[in-house]
């Protein structure tokens, strides 16, 4: 969030928590992107705050509740308050249990095992969600809009368009089974806790092959995931890389050091295409 918006969001989170009987004298920022994630003290609750016109709070809360009930390794909602989104002053606040970080990092084997358990639970849920291909289509729209991605050189724009289209076509032709997925289970969305790895953040939930989720995890994780299609995983990694590279060239991107990352990722895609 922009700095001024972040200050307002934190104030709203503290106000909402206090109104629910959770004292929130302090608000420590844990993560700042399109949403603000705060640890509120002394209540020790975790607040996620999103602009009211850019949030899926009810979906996230409902899915998290069902996954928790199914015994999946997910971060739970704060049981001290009603599980829902609280809208106030242009923001929506959801309140979650805060987990103290474990001393040890999540190993690739533990990551893979937790993701496999999550996928098993998600296969049992009938939840409407977009297919992963919607991200590809959105990235292609950004590339077609030169005003939205003005910094891209023509050759790089063409390379990204070709990579997105051809890779998505290859994955579709593979015909792998599709299911409900987390959507972005990268390390930033996995908590290392005393209970083991727990997944958080459900706004990117989608449908697709399990390898699409695995493509967001560290490469070492794939070797431990049961029954993985190695070539499909490789193609999914390329597809995900192309999509997130487009986001880094978006004129409105606020990702820290995003342009440098966009340059590095473009170089990787050129190498994969044999253009370097």
């Amino acid at each position: 969030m922009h700095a001024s918006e972040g200050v307002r969001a934190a104030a709203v989170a503290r106000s909402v928590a206090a109104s629910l009987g959770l004292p929130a004298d302090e608000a420590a920022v844990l993560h700042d992107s399109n949403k603000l994630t705060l640890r509120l003290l002394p209540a020790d609750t975790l607040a996620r705050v999103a602009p009211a016109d850019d949030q899926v709070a009810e979906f996230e809360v409902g899915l998290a509740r069902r996954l928790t009930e199914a015994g999946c390794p997910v971060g739970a909602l704060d049981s001290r308050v009603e599980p829902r989104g609280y809208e106030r002053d242009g923001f929506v606040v959801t309140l979650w249990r805060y987990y103290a970080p474990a001393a040890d990092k999540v190993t690739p084997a533990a990551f893979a095992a937790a993701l496999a358990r999550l996928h098993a639970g998600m296969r049992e849920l009938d939840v409407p969600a977009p297919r992963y291909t919607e991200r590809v289509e959105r990235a292609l729209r950004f590339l077609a809009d030169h005003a939205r991605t003005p910094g891209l050189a023509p050759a790089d724009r063409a390379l990204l368009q070709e990579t997105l289209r051809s890779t998505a076509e290859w994955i579709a032709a593979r015909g792998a089974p599709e299911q409900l997925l987390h959507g972005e289970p990268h390390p930033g969305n996995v908590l290392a806790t005393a209970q083991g790895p727990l997944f958080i953040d459900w706004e990117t939930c989608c449908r697709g092959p399990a390898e699409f989720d695995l493509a967001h995890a560290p490469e070492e994780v794939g070797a431990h995931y049961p029954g993985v299609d190695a070539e499909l995983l490789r193609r999914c990694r390329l597809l995900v890389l192309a999509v997130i590279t487009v986001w880094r060239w978006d004129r409105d991107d606020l990702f820290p050091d995003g342009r440098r990352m966009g340059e590095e990722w473009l170089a990787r895609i050129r190498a994969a295409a044999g253009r370097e």
Side-chain angles (χ1 to χ4, degrees):
M1 291 185 179
H2 292 288
S4 59
E5 189 178 41
V7 171
R8 291 196 306 110
V12 167
R14 292 176 58 200
S15 174
V16 166
S19 71
L20 297 170
L22 300 177
D25 301 330
E26 300 178 25
V29 176
L30 302 182
H31 185 68
D32 184 2
S33 58
N34 60 320
K35 292 184 179 181
L36 190 65
T37 302
L38 306 161
R39 181 186 183 188
L40 303 180
L41 295 167
D44 213 9
T45 188
L46 186 140
R48 300 187 72 223
V49 194
D53 59 356
D54 183 27
Q55 54 83 29
V56 288
E58 296 306 320
F59 173 82
E60 287 192 278
V61 167
L63 181 59
R65 290 182 69 186
R66 294 180 67 178
L67 291 171
T68 300
E69 291 167 359
C72 293
V74 302
L77 292 145
D78 192 321
S79 60
R80 294 172 290 181
V81 299
E82 181 183 352
R84 66 178 181 87
Y86 295 86
E87 186 167 351
R88 184 174 299 180
D89 297 335
F91 294 96
V92 173
V93 180
T94 51
L95 296 169
W96 306 77
R97 177 180 171 184
Y98 174 77
Y99 295 88
D104 298 325
K105 293 183 179 180
V106 177
T107 65
F111 195 127
L115 187 58
R117 284 177 54 208
L118 176 65
H119 284 165
M122 295 185 103
R123 282 195 292 273
E124 303 302 315
L125 301 184
D126 182 16
V127 175
R131 289 187 73 227
Y132 71 97
T133 51
E134 288 198 9
R135 297 186 201 177
V136 179
E137 293 163 2
R138 182 168 178 251
L140 286 169
R141 288 196 299 271
F142 274 39
L143 291 171
D145 184 353
H146 289 228
R148 186 76 193 234
T149 50
L152 274 170
D156 291 331
R157 187 181 304 275
L159 173 63
L160 286 168
Q161 290 170 326
E162 177 186 343
T163 301
L164 288 166
R165 291 192 180 108
S166 63
T167 309
E169 289 173 1
W170 189 97
I171 293 171
R174 193 70 158 183
E178 296 188 1
Q179 67 157 90
L180 189 66
L181 301 174
H182 179 286
E184 286 189 359
H186 53 69
N189 284 333
V190 182
L191 302 178
T193 76
Q195 294 93 324
L198 298 177
F199 292 90
I200 59 171
D201 195 349
W202 306 102
E203 65 179 320
T204 56
C205 190
C206 65
R207 289 191 174 274
E211 285 79 1
F212 183 78
D213 256 3
L214 270 173
H216 294 80
E219 290 197 13
E220 300 83 2
V221 173
H224 298 275
Y225 191 92
V228 67
D229 180 332
E231 181 59 21
L232 177 57
L233 176 55
R234 188 183 74 81
R235 302 280 184 142
C236 284
R237 284 188 180 128
L238 180 59
L239 185 70
V240 168
L241 181 63
V243 168
I244 62 176
T245 298
V246 174
W247 303 156
R248 300 292 76 82
W249 290 90
D250 175 17
R251 69 186 177 201
D252 298 328
D253 184 48
L254 298 177
F255 200 88
D257 208 16
R259 183 54 56 89
R260 180 191 62 78
M261 297 176 72
E263 292 278 9
E264 289 183 2
W265 294 344
L266 264 175
R268 288 172 56 186
I269 294 170
R270 290 191 204 104
R275 299 192 182 182
E276 285 191 346

